[in-house]
């Protein structure tokens, strides 16, 4: 559970409040059940009823909740009228834009041209946090001009003194400890999709896209200009946003959604020009309007960003005839073309992702794959349409070849593998996306991955290639219609087609969200069908999971201090979207009741309070059988004077049946997890201070399981950060957790060639082990920002996790276990070490130089080599050969309109 993801300090929601103002903590019932990230002193309350009442209690409670929650909502709404009632809509604010009839103003943050004085002023901003409602004491004044090429924004932020304006430097899109000013534009005025452009007093730029699927997406980058200056006790920002950076309709007179925001970091205050009430569901639907823009036309949006990169890679193979150092030179380009006023084509030709930050690799003891973050810019920028329905996991594109692990088994006697690429090479990737004036969003994504080969070499030096990945085409098509009242309906199709006799995959889904006119209640749903046809790679066996479906329906109250949601979902046993999406487990029926109670205004000694309660019941889809039931609850608040955020999460889970842990056909075998309670608490101090920290502790306690010792789990995370100056900062993160007496599938299974494994493997036995899992993670990050265009960042991470087995059992049907005299040492330890150092220089708009050094190592120690001792693992990691890569990449942005002006 990532308890940091919704902390006020850790990730301030400074632009886009969550729907309904929900600031609850992120949670995952599956993670809670299979790990330990929780704890609490209330566990003894539940132990007497573990077996006798737990299933009946939670099943009955959930069914009662499904029937009575609507009535409960009405009762609470009456009792809590002040916070629960949907606020009456306020009058829509409007601002008139003024057309420039003379020369465009010089971008110098002076605002001394006469035309600026002719423009109406937007002022009297209203506070959104920490205390929603009050009007600003230190005025903000904003004016908007426009011509045939761009929108011009001039803003003056009045203050007490320059000392009251924090202005930490940061890289692009890195807010830091600083004030900022931002403008929001909803150019189609659909109240669902928009743009944001922000600048700090030090001139650091940020930009974002807003959508129902992507939320607030800072991965989107546009090319625009800004200047800032400090004037007396104020600071001034001047922005030029070219029409090539946004999309809008062809109407003669434009009406755009509009809002401005000012952040006064000294008091942690956020102000909006058009009031954004946290208790109202939605963000864009609370904006004002920009009027007066007439007779503008979308320019020819055509730009090229060619790149050239060079790499020097080193790894000490210590093998005769094998070179330790290799070099390469690469080239390619990104192309952006505005097909018309609504749609844009983005393409990357011969992409190079070698400078992407390293993954946080971990030891995986679960039956499911590890989901890694997407760090490749092409797949993070402007993908909000393709993420509808969560059917697109972009790491599938250019992923590990299908036959990567099979290459070893295809070797002939006397051969060895000399090369086996771990990533597929992309030939190209293309996105076409946009939205019409009628609110219809259209997205088309296509990528082609090349044939991939491993290279085998025999004793005479003769080499041959082994196909590990056939040519593959990845395609996504999306239709997304915006509706009134912050609603939408969407259709998504994903397709993977592979060359040759291996299988292809197709997934089609529809989803909708319908809200009432007051935006207080909504119903949402999703239906998805998956289809796979063909044979497994390098096999004549027909692929499994050929047909499957997913269904989800929810209804709830979405605005006010008290909100609720009821949902039911089904994922059939054949549902499999994983060729281009990600799903950890299917074959499930879930019923969930969720309640949230939030206080947005200060009371007592705190700024706000957010709390939640979730009741969940899960069944296996086929055969229908109970799997789990539980209650999850928590809350957090921020103190008024100190801005210290504290919070907790707790849960109770009845005895669970895990049908996936045995790694066998679903239905007969499952691993029993005893009823358990857990919880965690955290504290996060004020990031305005030079020294701040995050601290969290967690624990979990299980009911005793027969004659076994009690299963438990404990953990702690500490993350101090120190800001030396406005340019230099450091952050350290330490994580430790241990899970004594955990029971699970013995990783690696049984090896028929091993003496002790042979009889068990021949009998088809499933081996479980009681084990202690201990994990340490140390991460140090340092950042030095030279100016608002040049920065250096270095990040070092060491991860080590060790597993020690105490005893073993074989799994019998219906969760029964039988002790077995099994003495093979199955201990293991996994180490990962990475250094990512990056120097970045934006030497011109849209143009960048990156110099990157990457150092990487990972190893797995088995049996007697494994050790739980941290410093022994660290020593082995340091003394094991590392791979090193030094690269330089230069990108240069070429805009067709700029080139045409130069020629003219």
């Amino acid at each position: 559970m990532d308890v940091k993801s919704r902390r006020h300090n850790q990730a301030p929601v400074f632009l886009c409040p969550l729907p309904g103002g929900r600031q609850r903590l992120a949670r995952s019932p599956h993670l809670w059940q299979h790990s330990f990230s929780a704890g609490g002193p209330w566990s003894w309350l539940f132990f007497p009823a573990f077996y006798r009442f737990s299933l009946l209690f939670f099943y009955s409670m959930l069914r009662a909740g499904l029937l009575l929650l609507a009535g409960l909502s009405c009762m609470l709404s009456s009792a809590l009228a002040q916070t629960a009632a949907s606020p009456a809509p306020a009058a829509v604010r409007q601002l008139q834009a003024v057309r420039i009839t003379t020369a465009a103003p010089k971008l110098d943050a002076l605002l001394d041209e006469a035309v600026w004085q002719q423009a109406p002023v937007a002022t009297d901003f209203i506070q959104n946090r920490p205390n929603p409602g009050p009007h600003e004491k230190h005025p903000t004044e904003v004016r908007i001009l426009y011509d045939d090429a761009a929108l011009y924004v001039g803003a003056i932020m009045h203050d007490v003194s320059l000392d009251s304006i924090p202005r930490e430097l940061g890289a692009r899109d890195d807010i830091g400890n600083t004030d900022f000013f931002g403008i929001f534009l909803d150019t189609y005025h659909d109240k669902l999709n928009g743009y944001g452009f922000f600048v700090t007093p030090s001139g650091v730029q940020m930009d974002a896209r807003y959508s129902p699927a992507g939320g607030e997406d800072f991965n989107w980058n546009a090319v625009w200009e800004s200047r800032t200056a400090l004037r007396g006790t104020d600071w001034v920002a001047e922005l030029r946003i070219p029409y090539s950076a946004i999309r809008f309709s062809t109407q003669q007179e434009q009406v755009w959604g509009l809002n401005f925001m000012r952040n006064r970091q000294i008091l942690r205050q956020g102000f909006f020009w058009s009031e954004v009430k946290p208790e109202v569901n939605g963000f864009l639907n609370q904006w004002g309007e920009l009027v007066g823009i007439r007779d503008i036309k979308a320019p020819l949006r055509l730009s090229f960003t060619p790149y050239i990169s060079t790499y020097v890679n080193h790894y000490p193979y210590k093998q005769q005839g094998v070179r330790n150092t290799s070099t390469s030179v690469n080239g390619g380009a990104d192309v952006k073309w505005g097909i018309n006023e609504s749609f844009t084509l983005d393409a990357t030709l011969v992409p190079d992702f070698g400078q992407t930050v390293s993954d946080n690799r971990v030891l995986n003891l679960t039956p499911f794959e590890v989901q890694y973050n997407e760090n490749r810019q092409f797949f993070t920028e402007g993908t909000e349409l393709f993420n509808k329905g969560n059917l697109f996991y972009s790491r599938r594109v250019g992923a590990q070849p299908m036959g990567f692990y099979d290459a070893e088994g295809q070797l002939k006697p006397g051969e060895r593998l000399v090369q086996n690429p771990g990533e597929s090479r992309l030939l190209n990737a293309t996105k076409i996306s946009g939205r019409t004036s009628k609110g219809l969003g259209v997205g088309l994504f296509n990528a082609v991955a090349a044939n991939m080969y491993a290279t085998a070499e025999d004793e005479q030096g003769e080499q041959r290639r082994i196909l590990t990945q056939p040519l593959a085409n990845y395609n996504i098509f999306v239709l997304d219609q915006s509706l009134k009242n912050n609603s939408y309906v969407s259709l998504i199709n994903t397709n993977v087609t592979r060359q040759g006799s291996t299988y292809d995959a197709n997934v089609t889904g529809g989803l909708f969200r319908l809200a009432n006119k007051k935006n207080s209640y909504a119903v949402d749903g999703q239906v998805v069908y998956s289809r796979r046809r063909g044979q497994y790679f390098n096999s004549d066996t027909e692929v499994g999971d050929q047909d499957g479906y997913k269904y989800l329906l929810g209804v709830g109250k979405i605005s006010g201090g008290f909100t609720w949601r009821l949902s039911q979902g089904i994922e059939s046993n054949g549902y499999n979207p994983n060729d281009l999406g990600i799903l950890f487990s299917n074959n499930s029926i879930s019923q969930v009741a969720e309640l949230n109670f939030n206080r947005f205004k200060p009371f007592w000694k705190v700024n706000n309070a957010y709390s939640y309660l979730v009741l969940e019941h899960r069944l296996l889809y086929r055969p229908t059988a109970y799997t789990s039931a539980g209650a999850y609850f928590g809350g957090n608040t921020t103190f008024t004077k100190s801005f210290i955020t504290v919070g907790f999460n707790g849960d109770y889970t009845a005895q669970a049946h895990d049908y996936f842990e045995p790694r066998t056909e679903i239905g007969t075998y499952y691993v029993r997890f005893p009823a358990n309670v857990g919880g965690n608490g955290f504290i996060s101090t004020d990031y305005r201070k030079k020294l701040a920290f995050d601290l969290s502790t967690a624990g979990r306690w299980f009911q005793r399981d027969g004659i076994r010792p009690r299963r438990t789990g404990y953990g702690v995370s500490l993350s101090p950060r120190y800001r030396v100056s406005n340019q230099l900062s450091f952050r350290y993160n330490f994580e430790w957790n241990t899970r004594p007496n955990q029971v699970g599938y013995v990783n690696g299974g049984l090896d028929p060639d091993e003496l002790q494994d042979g009889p068990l493997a021949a009998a088809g036995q499933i081996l479980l082990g009681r084990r202690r899992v201990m994990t340490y993670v140390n991460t140090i990050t340092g950042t030095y920002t030279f100016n608002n265009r040049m920065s250096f960042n270095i990040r070092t991470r060491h991860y080590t996790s060790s597993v020690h087995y105490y005893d073993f059992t074989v799994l019998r049907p219906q969760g029964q276990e039988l002790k077995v005299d099994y003495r093979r040492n199955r201990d293991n330890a996994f180490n990962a070490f990475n250094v990512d150092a990056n120097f970045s220089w934006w030497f011109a708009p849209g143009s960048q130089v990156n110099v990157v050094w990457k150092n990487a190592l990972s190893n797995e120690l088995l049996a007697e080599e494994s050790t739980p001792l941290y410093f022994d693992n660290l020593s082995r990691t340091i003394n094991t050969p590392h791979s090193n890569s030094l690269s330089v990449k230069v990108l240069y942005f070429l805009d067709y309109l700029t080139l045409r002006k130069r020629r003219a």
Side-chain angles (χ1 to χ4, degrees):
M1 174 178 293
D2 180 10
V3 298
K4 301 176 183 177
S5 61
R6 291 287 176 235
R7 296 182 195 173
H8 183 78
N9 285 328
Q10 181 74 13
V13 185
F14 58 89
L15 302 181
C16 182
L18 293 174
R22 301 177 206 174
Q23 304 278 340
R24 64 184 184 276
L25 303 179
R27 59 192 177 277
S28 168
H30 292 296
L31 183 60
W32 280 102
Q33 180 169 325
H34 294 294
S35 64
F36 67 89
S37 305
W42 54 83
S43 59
W44 62 272
L45 294 173
F46 301 100
F47 284 161
F50 271 163
Y51 290 103
R52 189 173 178 182
F53 300 111
S54 59
L55 297 182
L56 178 62
F57 172 73
F58 278 102
Y59 186 68
S60 300
M61 184 164 57
L62 183 59
R63 287 179 62 94
L66 295 175
L67 294 173
L68 300 177
L69 194 55
L72 178 62
S73 171
C74 295
M75 295 170 58
L76 287 176
S77 295
S78 176
L80 303 169
Q82 180 177 359
T83 57
S86 299
V92 176
R93 281 191 165 186
Q94 288 188 336
L95 181 66
Q96 181 86 18
V98 173
R99 176 177 274 280
I100 299 171
T101 56
T102 58
K106 183 180 179 182
L107 208 66
D108 53 13
L110 292 175
L111 307 183
D112 55 354
E113 291 86 353
V115 68
W116 282 116
Q117 308 310 313
Q118 302 170 13
V121 180
T123 188
D124 191 25
F125 284 34
I126 302 172
Q127 190 173 152
N128 168 264
R129 58 172 171 80
N131 180 17
H135 293 244
E136 61 181 352
K137 294 181 179 179
H138 307 287
T140 305
E141 301 174 4
V142 189
R143 299 170 173 84
I144 290 185
L145 310 174
Y146 74 99
D147 58 18
D148 291 334
L151 199 72
Y152 300 84
V153 184
I156 302 175
M157 278 60 68
H158 296 286
D159 218 309
V160 179
S161 67
L162 294 184
D163 292 338
S164 299
I165 307 174
R167 45 189 184 272
E168 181 183 8
L169 278 165
R172 199 181 199 278
D173 289 331
D174 183 6
I175 184 62
N177 181 58
T178 179
D179 285 20
F180 65 79
F181 165 79
I183 176 175
F184 304 90
L185 298 172
D186 175 7
T187 53
Y188 288 103
H189 207 200
D190 64 5
K191 300 185 180 182
L192 287 171
N193 302 274
Y195 304 89
F197 301 89
F198 317 93
V199 65
T200 74
S202 300
V204 177
Q205 289 186 346
M206 299 164 286
D207 38 30
R209 288 288 299 270
Y210 297 88
S211 69
E216 183 177 50
D217 181 12
F218 277 95
N219 291 311
W220 178 76
N221 287 318
V223 178
W224 51 288
E225 298 176 88
S226 62
R227 294 292 184 274
T228 60
L230 300 173
R231 309 287 183 199
T233 61
D234 312 329
W235 71 281
V236 183
E238 190 170 7
L239 286 66
R240 180 183 184 274
I241 303 172
Y243 297 143
S244 58
I246 57 179
R247 308 171 195 168
F248 49 88
S249 71
T250 58
Q251 295 179 358
Q252 183 179 9
E253 184 168 356
Q254 305 276 335
V255 178
W256 294 353
L258 173 71
N259 214 344
F260 304 106
M261 184 185 179
R262 177 183 179 183
N263 183 68
R264 289 193 75 236
Q265 185 68 5
I266 192 72
L267 295 177
R268 297 290 291 269
Q269 294 173 329
F271 299 90
F272 287 95
W273 169 66
S274 180
E275 184 178 9
V276 175
K277 298 180 179 180
E279 67 268 25
V280 174
N281 180 268
F283 182 46
L284 283 78
N285 52 305
Q286 301 189 64
W287 295 0
E289 293 178 343
L290 178 63
V291 298
I293 297 181
R294 297 178 55 89
D295 303 320
I296 64 172
K297 295 181 180 180
L300 176 59
R301 291 179 283 119
L302 179 61
S303 64
F304 304 89
T305 310
Y307 80 86
I308 185 171
S309 62
T310 179
Y311 290 80
V312 178
N313 302 309
H314 178 269
Y315 182 81
Y317 289 97
K318 300 180 180 179
Q319 297 180 17
Q320 187 175 1
V322 178
R323 297 180 57 186
N324 294 336
T325 303
S326 63
T327 60
S328 63
V329 178
N330 310 287
D334 292 342
V335 180
K336 187 182 292 287
W337 171 41
I339 301 172
N340 56 27
E341 73 278 0
S342 299
F343 298 102
T344 301
L345 179 148
D346 292 275
T348 181
L349 309 175
V350 195
D352 173 18
F353 302 120
Q355 291 190 331
T356 302
V357 66
S358 304
D359 289 327
N360 290 336
R361 299 189 60 189
V362 297
L363 174 64
N364 184 15
L365 298 175
T366 75
F368 312 115
E369 65 178 306
V370 177
Q371 182 177 6
Y372 291 110
N373 293 332
E374 177 60 88
N375 297 311
R376 300 170 296 178
Q377 183 175 339
F378 183 83
F379 295 98
T380 59
E381 179 182 352
T383 58
E384 64 276 0
L385 271 175
F386 306 108
N387 291 324
K388 297 284 284 189
N390 295 318
L391 297 178
F392 179 39
Y393 177 43
S394 57
R395 292 294 296 261
R396 300 289 186 214
V397 183
Q400 188 178 83
M402 300 173 66
F404 177 80
Y405 292 107
D406 295 335
E408 192 81 32
Q410 297 187 51
L411 293 176
K412 298 177 181 179
E415 285 186 332
R416 64 183 180 93
L417 283 179
V418 295
Q419 190 176 24
N420 190 11
E423 295 180 356
S424 300
R425 183 171 63 91
L426 284 183
L427 299 177
N428 60 70
T430 304
K431 297 177 294 191
I432 297 177
S433 61
R435 192 171 295 274
T436 69
S437 59
K438 303 297 184 181
L440 177 62
V442 181
L444 178 64
F445 171 89
N446 197 84
V448 179
N451 286 314
M452 296 302 296
Y453 298 92
T455 303
E457 184 178 84
D458 62 19
E459 296 173 348
Q460 286 72 42
E462 293 292 330
Q463 294 186 348
R464 68 180 181 94
R465 298 197 301 175
I466 301 172
L467 181 68
T468 59
Q469 172 77 38
L471 183 75
N473 187 84
Y474 303 88
N475 182 271
I476 306 173
F477 177 66
V478 182
L479 294 174
D480 176 53
Q481 179 64 57
S482 302
L483 304 174
K484 292 182 178 180
N485 306 326
N486 210 26
S487 304
Y488 60 83
V489 59
S490 306
L491 175 71
I492 307 102
N493 176 264
T494 71
N495 183 275
V496 180
T497 303
R498 300 180 176 92
Q499 187 181 57
S501 59
T502 191
Y503 73 94
D504 303 326
N506 189 282
V507 177
T508 301
L511 58 149
F512 68 91
R513 181 181 189 270
L514 302 175
N516 64 342
K517 190 174 182 179
K518 293 184 178 180
N519 197 34
S520 55
Y521 292 87
V523 59
D524 60 89
Q526 183 176 4
V527 177
V528 186
Y529 168 67
S530 66
R531 182 179 188 272
R532 310 203 307 170
R533 292 293 187 273
Q535 295 81 38
Y536 288 108
F537 183 64
N538 285 336
S539 173
D540 294 329
T541 304
E542 287 290 320
V543 68
D545 296 343
Q546 292 200 357
D547 297 278
Y549 72 92
K550 172 185 177 180
Y551 144 88
L552 178 65
L553 182 64
V555 62
K557 184 177 183 293
I558 59 176
S559 289
F562 172 73
T563 61
W564 57 265
R565 185 174 187 269
L566 305 176
S567 66
Q568 183 182 45
I570 294 176
E571 292 167 345
S572 73
N573 59 315
Y575 177 61
N576 189 343
N578 282 330
D579 290 277
L580 198 47
I582 187 166
L583 176 69
F584 295 113
S585 63
N586 56 11
N587 203 358
S588 173
I589 301 175
S590 63
Q591 301 173 86
V592 181
E594 178 180 356
L595 300 92
N596 299 273
F597 180 64
N598 303 319
R599 292 285 299 271
F600 304 107
K601 288 184 173 294
F603 66 97
W604 188 55
K605 297 182 179 181
V606 298
N607 286 326
N608 44 49
Y610 306 102
S611 60
Y612 69 88
L613 169 65
V614 177
L615 307 177
E616 181 183 56
H617 181 262
R618 287 184 175 270
L619 300 170
L620 203 65
Y621 171 78
R622 183 172 296 171
T624 304
Y626 164 82
T627 57
S628 66
Y632 313 91
F633 52 91
N636 68 87
T637 188
T638 301
F639 288 93
T640 303
K641 293 184 178 180
S642 62
F643 275 92
I644 294 176
T645 298
V646 297
F648 73 96
N649 298 276
D651 73 272
Y652 166 66
T653 303
Q655 184 186 91
H657 299 167
D658 192 333
Y659 287 86
F660 297 94
E661 183 68 13
R663 276 80 153 174
T664 189
E665 185 176 350
I666 302 295
T668 303
Y669 295 90
Y670 60 79
V671 176
R672 287 188 298 180
F673 286 88
N676 58 91
V677 293
N680 71 348
F682 67 84
I683 180 172
S684 183
T685 65
D686 188 357
Y687 285 6
R688 293 175 302 175
K689 307 294 184 181
K690 281 184 172 291
L691 177 62
F693 67 88
D694 301 310
L695 172 66
S696 66
T697 59
R700 179 165 296 281
W701 294 265
F702 287 79
Q703 167 69 358
R704 286 192 179 276
D705 185 21
I707 61 174
R708 282 190 177 129
R710 187 191 304 279
R711 307 183 200 184
T712 57
Y714 306 96
V716 63
S717 172
L718 174 63
S719 180
R721 58 181 64 202
Y722 183 68
R723 188 174 66 254
V724 180
S725 67
N726 282 335
Q727 294 175 280
L728 178 63
S729 64
F730 296 94
R731 182 180 179 182
Y732 170 64
N733 184 71
F734 169 76
E735 298 176 32
W736 169 84
N737 64 68
T738 182
R739 286 169 281 174
N741 300 314
Q742 182 196 63
V743 175
Y745 182 84
V746 176
N747 247 29
L750 295 169
D751 184 355
D753 296 329
E754 286 285 342
L755 180 62
Q756 292 195 51
D757 292 12
L760 296 174
Q765 301 287 1
I766 300 169
L767 187 66
L768 302 181
R770 182 173 65 92
R771 60 202 179 194
R772 180 199 62 221
V773 182
M774 188 176 295
T775 302
Y776 296 87
V777 186
N778 284 276
T779 307
I780 302 174
T781 303
T783 302
Y784 186 83
T785 308
F786 299 90
N787 52 48
N788 57 23
R789 294 186 177 185
M790 186 184 299
S791 63
F792 173 77
N793 178 273
I794 184 168
R795 176 179 181 268
T796 302
R797 175 181 182 265
H798 177 231
Y799 169 96
T800 180
S801 186
S802 61
V803 181
H804 172 65
Y805 285 92
Y806 299 113
D807 51 48
F808 301 89
T809 60
V810 293
L811 184 64
R812 311 303 297 167
Q814 306 307 313
Q816 300 300 315
E817 297 179 41
L818 181 65
K819 282 195 172 184
V820 60
D821 185 18
Y822 180 83
R823 301 185 182 183
R824 181 182 162 201
N825 191 335
R826 300 304 299 270
D827 293 356
N828 67 301
F830 176 77
N831 291 277
F833 181 83
N834 292 96
V835 178
D836 290 270
N838 178 32
F839 170 81
S840 179
W841 175 33
W842 293 89
F843 61 90
S847 303
Q848 188 179 20
V849 174
N850 277 314
V851 182
V852 173
W853 169 52
K854 300 176 73 171
N855 176 281
L857 161 78
S858 65
N859 62 28
E860 187 170 16
L861 305 173
L862 303 176
E864 288 76 13
E865 292 185 349
S866 173
T867 173
L869 300 178
Y870 174 79
F871 287 103
D872 285 356
N873 280 293
L874 177 61
S875 176
R876 291 185 181 185
T877 300
I878 293 174
N879 294 318
T880 300
H882 293 217
S883 64
N884 284 274
S885 172
L886 180 65
S887 60
V888 180
K889 187 176 183 179
V890 181
L891 304 94
Y892 193 79
F893 178 77
L894 299 172
D895 182 49
Y896 170 79
L897 296 176
T898 303
L899 294 176
R900 187 176 66 177
K901 287 181 181 179
R902 290 177 181 175
R903 291 182 178 179

